[in-house]
Every structure is written in C-alpha cells, then in structure tokens.
Amino acid sequence: MSKEGSSSVYKAWEATVRKTQAARKRANSIFGISVDHADEDDHDHSSDESDCGPEEMIYNADRILANGDYYTGFWCENFPHGQGKYLWTDGCMYVGEWFKGKTMGKGRFSWPSGATYEGEFKSGYMDGIGTYTGTNGDTYKGQWVMNLKHGHGTKHYSNGDWYEGEWRRGLQEGHGRYQWKDGDNYTGEWKNGVICGKGSFIWSNGNLYDGNWEDSVPKGNGTFRWPDGSVYVGNWSKDPSEQNGTYYPSQSSPDANLEWNPQDVYNVDLKDCKICPGEKVSILPSQKKLAVWRSAKGESVKPRRMSVDGRVSVGLDRPFDRLQMWDGGDHDPPCNAGDHRPSTVGGELVEDLMGLHVEDGNQRGLAMKVSKTGRRQGETISKGHKNYELMLNLQLGIRHSVGRPGPSGSLDLKPSAFDPREKYWTRFPPEGSKYTPPHQSCEFKWKDYCPLVFRTLRKLFKVDAADYMLSICGNDALRELSSPGKSGSFFYLTNDDRYMIKTMKKAEVKVLMRMLSAYYNHVRAYENTLVTKFYGLHCVKLTGQPIQKKVRFIIMGNLFCSEYKIHRRFDLKGSSLGRTTDKPLTEIDEMTILKDLDLNFIFRLQKSWFQEFCRQIDRDCEFLEQERIMDYSLLVGLHFRNTSAAGDLIPSGALTPTDENKSDGTPRLSRADMDQLLLDPSRWASIKLGLNMPARVEKTERKSDCEFQLVGDPTGEFYEVIMFFGIIDILQDYDISKKLEHAYKSIQYDPTSISAVDPRQYSRRFRDFIYKVFAEETT
C-alpha cells in the first residue's frame, strides 16, 4: 500500500475513533452504564443458541456504532438477538426482546417527544397487545396489527373523553362506546372513525336518541325520548325538508316540549359532541434504521475482545470491513441508474427497517417479462364505425336519464321500486321533442329499467352524477374491445377507463331484474363486497331503421381503472376443462386474459386483509348461491412493482451472492410505501379490499406429468405486486341450457372439471380453489 493510501486510511480510522468515543460518552450519560468486559461476552447462553443456529453463539455485547447509535444486550452473529436495549441518536429507544435483528416479542419503544409503546412486537411492528401513551396524554390499550390499532381496545383522551370498542386499521369501526367528559355517551356502530349505523346517544340531561346514524349525526329512522316519557318518532335528516315525524307527549306532561324542533338536535344538542382526532406519530418503530455489523465477505462475525471505545479490534488495512450501516439522513442516498442500492463505504450495505427490508434493485431477474410500453385497450368508435350511431344513442339516453330530476330520498327503497314493470320508454326523434334534444342520429327509443334503484345504487357507490355523465357522454368517444366475449356480448370502455358497458341478452336482463332487490340489499350491507358494481340498465330500440332491433346493455365499474399498469390478468373459476388461454405463448401480453390452468402464482395477503377476504368471499358466494347463480369468476389483475429496464420481473426475495442462504422470507416494501401506508392511517383509505392492495405473489410450477394440476407447487420466489380483484359475470343462472350442458359434458369428461354445475356445487368448488391460490402472508 502506498504512503498516500496508508495516510488516508489512517485519517479515516482516526475520525471514526473520535466519533465513536464521543458517542460512547453521550451513551454513558444517558444509560448510566459502563462497557462490559471481554470475559463477560463469553457467558454461556446455551438456552438461546438453538434459535440462532448450531454454529452460531449468543453472547452479551455492547456496540457503539459509527453513526452514534448504541446497543447493549445479547448478540448473535450480526444482529441483536434476545434481550437488549437500542438507542438511536435522535433519542428513540427500544428495550425488549429481539430476534435476529428484529423487535420480536415483548418490549418498550419510546420516542424523544415522550410518547411510549409497551407491549408486543412482531417483525419490527407494534403487533399484538400493547399500550401506547402519546405526548398529549392520550392512552390506547388493546390490540394492534402492523402499527395500527386493530381489534378490541380502549382509548382515553387527554380531554377526559374515552372510547371502548372495535378498531380497524387505526380507526373506530364496528361496535363501540364513546363517552364525553360532560357525561354524554354514544353506544353503537362505527365506521371509518365516525358514528355510522345503528346506535343510541344518551345526553347527561337524560334525553335519548335511538336509531340510524350517518357521519356522526342522526340519519334515517330514529326515536327521540325525554325523561318525562315524551317520544318523537320519525325520519331524521339534517335537511329540514326531509325531516318528518310524529310527537307523542307523555301523560304526566302533555304540554311539555311543544316548542321543540328536531333540528335542535343537530344545531344545539350535538354541536359540541366532537370525536377527538388521533395523534399522528412522527416515525414508527418499523421505520427506524438499524445499523448492523456485517462482514463484507459474508462470513460469520465471532465474538472479539472489544477495545475501550467499544469497537471490535480490526487491522488498519481494512478499518470499515466490519461495519456497514444505512445512511442516517431523511432521504435516500444517491444511486446509479438502474441500481436502487445507496453507495457504501468499503463494504456491502445492509438496509433494515427493523425487519421490513428495502428492496435492492441489483437483483436476479426471471425469464418472465412484462411490456414496458403502454397501450390502451380497444378501438375508438369514431364516425364511420359500424356502432357509431349506437354510441350516440347511448350517450343521448344516459344524458337524459342522469340529468332528469329524481327524488333525493334515503337509501330505504319501497318494494315497488324493484318491480320489473318499473321501466320507462322515451322517444328520441332527430328533430327533438319537449323532453329530448335534436340530434344527428336516426330516431330511436330509450328505455330505463328501475331508474330509482340504479340512481340510489350510484349514490350508494359514491358516484357523482356530473362525473358519471361526463365520463360516458363527454366529448371523448367510447372504445370497443377488440373481440366480443365468449357469451357473444360486446364490451365498451369510457375514455377515462372508469366504466365498462356490456351488451346483454334478454335472459340476462331477466336474471338481473329478478335478483335486483337481493343485490341491492347485499351491496348495501357489505361495503367491501367483491361482486360487480352495476350503475345502470338500459335498452336502445332503433326505430328509424328498416330492421328494428333492441340493444340492451348494463353499465358497470371497471375493476382495472387505476394509475397502475396491469401486467397480468387472470379469470379464475376453479374448473379445469378448457381453462387455458387459446393464444400461443409468443402472443400473450398484458391484455391477455389468462385462466385457471395458466395461473402460476399463489397470492399472499397480509393477515387482516386475508381474513376479511375470506369472510367476504363466503358472503358473496352465499348470496350468489341463494340467487341460483353460477359460472361466475374472480378476475385478478397484478401490477408488478419491481421490473428491470428490459421488462424482467425482479423477485422480492432475490439475493446477492453473499446472502444466498440467508433469506428469511420477511415482507419487502419500499421506503415510500412505508411513508404512505403506515405513517398516517388515513392513507389507508385509498386501499380497499380488491383495490390498490399491496401484496406478494409466490411463483408456482406444475408437475410435467400432471396435465390438469390446478395449483402448482410453490417455488419460494416472491414478487411485490399491487393487486386488483373482483367477482364478475354474476348474471348466469342455472337454467335449462346449463343443465343440458352439464348432462352432455358429464358423459365425455369428469363432471367435477366442467364449469356448468349446480350453483351449490359451483360455490363450494369456487371457494375451495380460491382458498388454495390465496394465502395469508407469513413471516
């Protein structure tokens, strides 16, 4: 080594020594402890060594890391393992159990602001039973999942209010009781952190309201009672024009409360009854960076005698060989194009967010590829297209239907609204009429089926009428998909991809009209339902042409309307006969709908999402079974988050050569995802069941000698994805044609492999298959 090289290394080593000595003084002043002697590192901890591997040893150690962090406790190989204490330079501290560098078990995490969490941890997250005390004095004790309040818990607010009940993803949801400091209290249903559903509110003066709520105010049917026995029963609304009811005075005080106005409940009684907002945490335990000791060659780090400054004795020729750490700044360090790994100082970089690893872009890719160039589905319907006039008729009819004034009543509909005879014809002459504008198309008639029901469904699905009309009837043309579906229906997409329009057979219309009431009740009861969202059912009759034909169509939500590009699409039924794509391998692209026997992944969802998914699949399948529906499928779309410039899929578990045997299967997410999904619970609002869901997929392979193996064998290769899924094609009942198809194909093929089976058998087979290809993420 040259003199200049030796001098530069020596100076760097001196600087490191000075920095660690300063950190040692700072740590000693905080902890009030001294460094363990070398002989203390050799204590026998054989009871814990089984967790660390047969050739690895757990020992007691003190570590002053080059960035100033301090650790004291049990150590195994390169990580804290067992009971230990870690202090970050920003003042955050964790004291408790570790497992190979992750907080795992019981522990206590404290913030420099004074906030603390004491309870159970899992893979770096606050997960299990624990108590959080905020800087403002708020205290929550209860269940946690991945840093968020989830399950049963009690929260006491600093102003004297308290809540006890169910939580979901950090917000009150389910059944719970909230009591204000003045004695007022509410007991009932919650949703997304606000009072919503059925419940009772009792004021400190004895007045009581029992009924329906929406956005923390009475909405719908409800009863108001006074202590003297007087009662008001009616339909409640903040809009005085919608408020109506009957007052029943008590026999003891017949003249009491005669001047009372129901609007006083909104303007006076509930004016000061605000729900306390939750405290936002500046940084979560799973986001804390952990500086670790790691050999650049990947060999084990055995216990060494420590010098007085707490550093392991190393030679001057390789001063930074043993210490690698993540940059302590708030932003990612600069990196080269195509390489997501920040630059390092003399060694391999270890990026660890207490168990949630940040992805390394320099990884092995598989042969599977995705297209890097985007293209839009379908052919734009412009003038001269065979369906151009039909599109104009459709847009004129939608504008007429949506723009027509209608009742703005509640979500409670009368049975007459679902009557199949509840349909209205409107004539559209080219010259216009009293109710229709002039147009350049041929004369046609327009029919609306159950308009009040679909208007209310759009309200239920939170579809703005103006946006809906603009998407379908704006200046931009619709797009026709390249080929009709197997059923013979044609599909059209709006220009903004938000809505899909499908032509329907008369039999399908009859099925929908028959089940419309049950469908409405189902989607109203279960906000997370996976069944297709229907927004309107219409018919166009072309009267200005020699051959008068009717075109019936349904307007639905497009499951794949997203800012993410969909790289893979799967249509899954759980049957095997004919369930492969008919395209050759070279022609398969991101627009190809793949089927059951093309599926080469297992979808892994985070625990709480997987549980909700299973519950909702059961609910939806039971609903479809009751309505005698079969032949539906689960449409799944995948956006692969890690791809190379050439379009290769990069596995999340891909390893560097030195780490080939050290993968622990921990979920990998990017730092941006951590900020978006965990730092602020309100960010979770953009993620719903089946929509924008971060997940992992594990590649599978089928045995070569098993032609109809529905689910392949896991390979251990994982990919980070954003998932979209929903149940489609829910308008096929088990009619005579399907019964004949079942009888005919059962003679030629295995009856369990064909799609056309009894709805009960179909539901059972569908669920069995879905629960095999969807699984809970495990750490």
Side-chain angles (χ1 to χ4, degrees), residues 130 326 452 579 584:
W326 200 19
L452 179 59
R579 297 299 295 163

Side-chain angles (χ1 to χ4, degrees), residues 340 357-359 370 372 564-565 567 638-644 648-652 667-674 676-677 692-697 719-723:
H340 297 175
H357 296 274
V358 175
E359 272 308 296
V370 296
K372 301 297 286 186
Y564 296 104
K565 181 180 179 182
H567 295 130
L638 300 179
H639 167 81
F640 290 92
R641 297 171 43 194
N642 297 328
T643 60
S644 69
D648 295 306
L649 302 185
I650 300 175
S652 63
R668 269 83 171 170
L669 292 177
S670 71
R671 215 173 150 192
D673 293 324
M674 290 291 295
Q676 292 178 3
L677 303 182
N692 292 322
M693 290 188 63
R696 289 205 304 169
V697 296
Y719 299 86
E720 299 290 343
V721 297
I722 302 295
M723 286 193 70

Side-chain angles (χ1 to χ4, degrees), residues 209 211-213 217-222 234-237 243 266 410 412:
Y209 169 82
N212 293 321
W213 295 75
V217 295
K219 182 66 183 291
N221 295 326
N235 182 67
W236 293 73
S237 175
Q243 176 85 40
Y266 300 96
S410 69
D412 298 320

Side-chain angles (χ1 to χ4, degrees), residues 54-82:
E55 298 181 359
E56 301 165 354
M57 183 169 59
I58 298 176
Y59 57 97
N60 205 334
D62 282 308
R63 293 281 187 262
I64 291 292
L65 305 175
N67 67 339
D69 290 356
Y70 179 83
Y71 174 81
T72 179
F74 294 124
W75 192 271
C76 178
E77 281 296 297
N78 308 315
F79 298 105
H81 185 82

Side-chain angles (χ1 to χ4, degrees), residues 721-754:
V721 297
I722 302 295
M723 286 193 70
F724 303 81
F725 50 81
I727 298 176
I728 62 170
D729 296 336
I730 63 170
L731 298 179
Q732 178 60 61
D733 63 350
Y734 196 51
D735 57 12
I736 186 63
S737 65
K738 287 296 180 181
K739 292 177 181 177
L740 290 173
E741 179 185 346
H742 173 78
Y744 175 73
K745 288 185 176 180
S746 295
I747 300 173
Q748 298 176 297
Y749 309 102
D750 179 2
T752 62
S753 69
I754 61 179

Side-chain angles (χ1 to χ4, degrees), residues 227-244:
D228 62 6
S230 303
V231 178
Y232 173 86
V233 181
N235 182 67
W236 293 73
S237 175
K238 213 169 183 179
D239 183 354
S241 63
E242 297 180 3
Q243 176 85 40
N244 60 79

Side-chain angles (χ1 to χ4, degrees), residues 17 56 110 127 373 416 447 451 476 638 743:
V17 170
E56 301 165 354
S110 58
D127 198 305
T373 58
S416 59
K447 180 167 29 175
D476 297 315
L638 300 179

